[in-house]
Amino acid sequence: MEALGHVSASEARLQERVEAPLLGTSRAFWIWVAVLLVAIAWGGVAYFLQARDGLYVTGMRDRIMWGLYIALFVFFIGASMAGTFVSALLRLTRATWRAPIIRGAEIMTVAALITASLFVLFDIGRPDRLHHFLLYGRWESPLIWDVYGLATYMAGSMLYLYLAMIPDLAFVSDRLGDGFGTIKRGYYRLLSIAWADSDEQRATLHRAIVVMTIAMVPVAVMMHTVTSWIFGMTLREPWNSAMFGIFFVAGAIYSGIGLIVILMAVMRRAYRLEEFITDRHFLYLGYMLAAFAVIMVFFNVSEFVTLGYKLSADATFNLNQMVSGDLAPVFWTYVWAGLALPILVILIPYTRNLKGILVAAIAANVGMFLERYFIVVGGLRVPLNPYEPATYTPSWVEWSLMAGGVAIFLLLVTVLLKLLPVVALWEMHEEAFASGPATSPGGYADPSETFAGVADPGIVAGARS
Amino acid sequence: MDREENLKKWHVSRRRFLQMAGALGATAMAGVALPSALRDGSGVSVAGEDQLGPGEAAAQRRLRKWMMIIDLRACDGCQSQDSPPKCSEACIAGHFVPEPMQWIEVYEHELSSEAELRPDEQPDLPINGTRFMPTPCMQCQNPPCVNVCPVGATWSTPEGPVLIDQDRCIGCRMCMAACPYERRFFTWGEPPIPPESLFVERSPEHQVPLKKGVVAKCDFCPEMARSGRLPFCAQACPQNAIYYGDLEEDIATNGDQVVKVSDFLAENSAFRHKDELGTRPRVYYVPGHGELAGRKPTDHGLQEVSWDYQSIRKGSKSWKRSGT
């Protein structure tokens, strides 16, 4: 207990809530995990068929040779932006309200990156030759940039998540006592690498986190840019855009913020964290979401105007297929549900509440998935030779693997959230619960701005003295 | 307090830290060196090394630069033969090309670009003529497909052809996305090729038989040229529209005549397909619409190519092109 010094009643409640999932498992949890496992098993059957018969079982063919898998790969790479980048951004700007939400977001990043690499595995024709990436990798290939970028980003994100978790792991292993079981305690103790909460350790950890925070921002930007270059480095008109890199980065932040909102809403319910993840958190993230929706609108408009003004042959075909052709349903759902709806919901005071922002976040992610889909499929559909344009419809195997992949993502998030302390207790202690600007720069100078628990005089007394 | 002791036990001095960092660095260096060590020991040949034996020998004498000229004045898409394009069929038969692939494919191009008209727009011309364009792999000298391959499974040979190593390809299809001519094909299932093809010795210069889950394309038949034969497509053309030759010697032949390449190209206003992309193809076209074979530009239509084998390998899959 001395790890965090004196705590208020509110902070004690937070600690209880965070420890609850570590101590016991509810029935709802097992039902949820069972549902996910069924979906994963279903995906496994589909993957077995695909491994046996080849990509023959998908809807892809020579003319549209990438489809749902690559769209999902790009989507999950984008989803990974949620944790590391947004949390780094909030840490760097010293937004103290970040403390209760970033742990979950960082966990989601790791899960999303693992899922994204799975979809590469689903897509390649010879998964048995995956080691060729290491044996024969050529630096000239955008795909290799992506492989090494992804490995760097994943390692960095895991380290970033882990570093900020060390004090909490020590705290949990100390506090949970015998009810927790010796073996489990041992794991947490091992993971907390002899954290004793000394001043020296604290200073080192702070330095390490600052270094990682600053390092992760360019790494995340690199990752999404390099992903866009898989498409941008080809001679296909709809992908031939210098804007693709920044466009993908913005799209990733947009869907990442949306995913944090969804995760917060679930965590708040599941772990009874209503007191700590407040309306204010949803509001702030909602504003960020709307801002990035506007940025996405800007990018789309600038691309459409530059191409639509000149109307070169391939660009005309591409615009036609999106606005009124085969991809029109996907495109217009993206525009109205994926961009317009989130902006409107957050702009209108009447809908600017938890439910509204949650709806906006879900719509933003559906929209971003559809955008990835029409970028991949639409880009390949523009014919390069005189023939009737090809069509692509994902087969049931692809849909099944999509279900399986999404279930793996959800299972990873669920299990990690279950086994790890879901809220950064020590950061909450240092920033959110600490009082006044003296101990937390950029903190809650105005008492009316702070958490519900701030009225508790214990918090003021609990500031490190 | 055991925590204090713990802390002492874990305390790392600066010197110890540097030692550890050094060891870690050495391990990382080993990690970098490992792939090449594995490669050398694994028995997998470095791409092209042994397959290019003849090419390498030629390099000491004279380096061939294989090229192709397709005379569109003579190509009528085999309308006069009442047959599907014979170049495609001969290539399919010669390489046991699986069902939907046509390594050389004849496309009917409109002479004026009216393809992007909206339904309510009228074309500028009352009639619109077409020409047939047999399209093999262009064997680009700045090949976009080679540039993007993550594992070096496709490469430019010194003689010009762009080849594929089916034993290295991982099937990511990045090269297919990069190729602006759509001249690369994927074996989506176990290729529907006949058992007799299994007797053929496979090399990147002669991709028979094909494997599942990899990319294949026209290999420009350099091994046939070296032994004094024309590629299957050139041999089969009833109008002798396809010339195959050597830029280094500045000479090409369609099996009937021998031409001096530079003169022939200049005198007949030859062009390269999508030359503006900067891919520098080794395939040249002489503009025309089959007039030497007596075809009028308004004679539309090609017959469908078929994939007739005597037998089909057991357990193989046949697939169709999407949406066409």
Side-chain angles (χ1 to χ4, degrees), chain A residues 2 58 120 134 168 174 179 202 230 242 332 349 378 388 427 441 456:
Chain A
E2 67 266 295
T58 68
V120 177
L134 293 175
D168 288 338
D174 280 357
R202 249 172 207 282
I230 291 183
W332 289 114
E388 276 298 301
E427 285 189 79
D456 190 327

Side-chain angles (χ1 to χ4, degrees), chain A residues 2 50-66 123-127 129-130 132-138 140-144 174 189 193-198 200-201 229-231 233-236 239 313-314 316-317 320 380 382-391, chain B residues 1-3 6-7 10-11 35 38-39 42 44-45 100-101 105 107-109 113 116 118 135 144 146-152 165-174 176-186 188-190 211-214 273-274 277 279 317-324:
Chain A
E2 67 266 295
Q50 182 179 300
R52 196 189 62 189
D53 295 346
L55 291 167
Y56 171 76
V57 296
T58 68
M60 298 182 278
R61 287 298 179 261
D62 286 339
R63 282 171 185 165
I64 298 181
M65 85 300 286
W66 286 340
D123 186 71
I124 67 174
R126 299 298 297 226
R129 295 179 183 167
L130 209 57
H132 286 198
F133 275 129
L134 293 175
L135 288 181
Y136 307 112
R138 289 170 72 246
E140 297 91 325
S141 166
L143 219 60
I144 285 293
D174 280 357
R189 183 160 298 238
I193 49 171
W195 177 261
D197 204 34
S198 69
E200 191 196 350
Q201 282 184 333
W229 284 347
I230 291 183
F231 307 100
M233 296 298 158
T234 64
L235 289 165
R236 289 183 187 255
W239 298 342
D314 283 354
T316 311
F317 181 92
N320 276 340
L380 292 170
V382 177
L384 300 176
N385 282 308
Y387 54 72
E388 276 298 301
T391 56
Chain B
M1 207 174 159
D2 66 337
R3 177 172 281 156
N6 237 342
L7 194 59
W10 282 81
H11 184 77
L38 279 176
R39 211 157 42 210
S42 64
V44 180
S45 66
M101 302 182 188
E105 182 163 0
Y107 287 111
E108 188 172 358
H109 286 256
S113 165
E116 304 303 332
R118 288 200 309 268
T135 317
V146 169
N147 294 342
V148 301
C149 178
V151 295
D165 183 351
Q166 285 193 59
D167 293 321
R168 184 181 286 190
C169 175
I170 57 167
C172 67
R173 310 191 289 294
M174 181 85 208
M176 295 171 72
C179 176
Y181 304 99
E182 293 185 310
R183 266 10 281 151
R184 290 181 158 249
F185 308 89
F186 190 70
W188 295 96
E190 194 62 60
K211 292 192 167 182
K212 182 178 87 173
V214 297
H273 194 22
K274 304 190 186 185
L277 297 178
T279 50
K317 303 272 185 222
S318 193
W319 58 93
K320 297 270 180 256
R321 270 189 175 152
S322 68
T324 48

Side-chain angles (χ1 to χ4, degrees), chain A residues 175-199:
Chain A
R175 225 176 91 104
L176 290 182
D178 298 332
F180 197 39
T182 340
I183 299 173
K184 272 204 259 177
R185 259 185 86 180
Y187 281 128
Y188 288 87
R189 183 160 298 238
L190 195 69
L191 282 173
S192 66
I193 49 171
W195 177 261
D197 204 34
S198 69
D199 285 344

Side-chain angles (χ1 to χ4, degrees), chain B residues 56-90:
Chain B
E56 225 141 79
Q60 288 171 1
R61 303 191 302 271
R62 167 176 237 169
L63 188 64
R64 301 290 184 180
K65 291 181 175 174
W66 304 121
M67 58 88 64
M68 188 179 270
I69 308 167
I70 300 178
D71 190 344
L72 300 182
R73 294 171 302 183
C75 179
D76 63 348
C78 286
Q79 280 178 342
S80 61
Q81 311 297 311
D82 193 23
S83 145
K86 296 217 180 230
C87 51
S88 307
E89 293 211 312

